[in-house]
Amino acid sequence: RVEAASRKIPTTVSSPEVKRLFVRFFNSMQLNVHFISVMARAKLPTEMVEKVEGGLLEQMDKLTKTVNKAIDGAEALCKANGITSLASYDAEPLFIEARVISKFGRRYLELILKIDQLMPMLETLAIDEVIELRELERRKAQFKRVIRQVAGAARNFKFGLQRRMNAISDSEAKGSVPPDARLHATEETAADDAQQHGAA
């Protein structure tokens, strides 16, 4: 729990793979982003935090475009092969009220639900022998990795900022870092973190 307002969004997740990933990563990703956007600002320059946020948004935009393209491609294959109904899962869907506390959480939820929409389309294409089972597994693994990738990037950004906050605290306790030097050092390293973790 964090001290932040949240939008309560009724959410349904159907595919077994995405249900597991949602439960594992959604809330932890939001906690890491809350640290980046709120807690880090209390110690680090705003410019640095904004660069990190920009790197995360850039990665999410890139991955969302990839998922949208995959959905369009699957829909086209279904239409070309006369498929008018999709396979469904016998297990009960996950019904949950997702608590979204930031634009990052909202975009992440949208990305997860797009992948959940894609999964039964891929299953249908495999059942109707439009794609091979090997291709089905490859594509499912690719898009499960997308969900983990965003959560991993948020975690890495958080750890990077946390290390800098700790280093600044240690240096200030020793009286060895003037404010101007701190600003220069943190701005210089922010872009490096964004490039390493946001463009994966």
Side-chain angles (χ1 to χ4, degrees):
R1 293 183 181 275
V2 297
E3 292 182 351
S6 63
R7 283 190 60 207
K8 284 72 173 178
I9 301 177
T11 301
T12 303
V13 184
S14 298
S15 65
E17 299 90 350
V18 179
K19 282 194 286 188
R20 288 191 291 268
L21 292 169
F22 176 88
V23 170
R24 182 177 176 186
F25 291 114
F26 180 71
N27 285 331
S28 62
M29 183 271 189
Q30 290 211 104
L31 287 174
N32 287 330
V33 172
H34 180 76
F35 181 93
I36 293 168
S37 295
V38 178
M39 300 177 69
R41 273 186 167 84
K43 193 73 175 177
L44 300 174
T46 298
E47 294 84 355
M48 179 183 186
V49 176
E50 288 177 346
K51 286 180 181 179
V52 169
E53 290 174 330
L56 184 58
L57 285 175
E58 182 180 354
Q59 182 187 27
M60 293 175 72
D61 287 343
K62 179 180 177 181
L63 293 173
T64 298
K65 289 178 182 177
T66 299
V67 174
N68 286 338
K69 184 176 179 180
I71 290 173
D72 291 343
E75 288 178 342
L77 281 176
C78 287
K79 183 176 180 180
N81 288 274
I83 299 172
T84 58
S85 63
L86 298 179
S88 60
Y89 300 97
D90 293 333
E92 287 294 320
L94 173 65
F95 298 104
I96 193 168
E97 187 179 67
R99 298 187 177 188
V100 175
I101 63 174
S102 70
K103 63 182 178 182
F104 301 94
R106 178 181 55 79
R107 291 194 188 197
Y108 191 43
L109 179 62
E110 291 171 355
L111 179 61
I112 289 172
L113 294 179
K114 284 178 183 290
I115 294 172
D116 188 57
Q117 174 189 351
L118 176 62
M119 289 298 187
M121 299 173 71
L122 296 176
E123 296 278 8
T124 303
L125 291 171
I127 291 170
D128 282 33
E129 299 184 84
V130 177
I131 62 175
E132 298 292 333
L133 285 176
R134 180 167 52 184
E135 179 66 10
L136 169 66
E137 292 305 315
R138 185 191 70 81
R139 294 194 192 186
K140 287 169 67 174
Q142 174 189 357
F143 294 110
K144 288 190 291 183
R145 189 162 56 246
V146 164
I147 297 174
R148 292 192 297 266
Q149 189 173 343
V150 173
R155 183 182 64 250
N156 290 336
F157 280 137
K158 181 241 185 173
F159 287 156
L161 293 178
Q162 196 170 42
R163 284 195 301 270
R164 285 168 175 77
M165 291 168 67
N166 292 339
I168 289 171
S169 295
D170 292 344
S171 298
E172 287 179 340
K174 298 174 183 177
S176 60
V177 180
D180 290 344
R182 181 181 70 181
L183 176 61
H184 176 72
T186 51
E187 285 182 339
E188 196 173 62
T189 52
D192 293 339
D193 272 355
Q195 184 175 7
Q196 291 174 11
H197 300 302

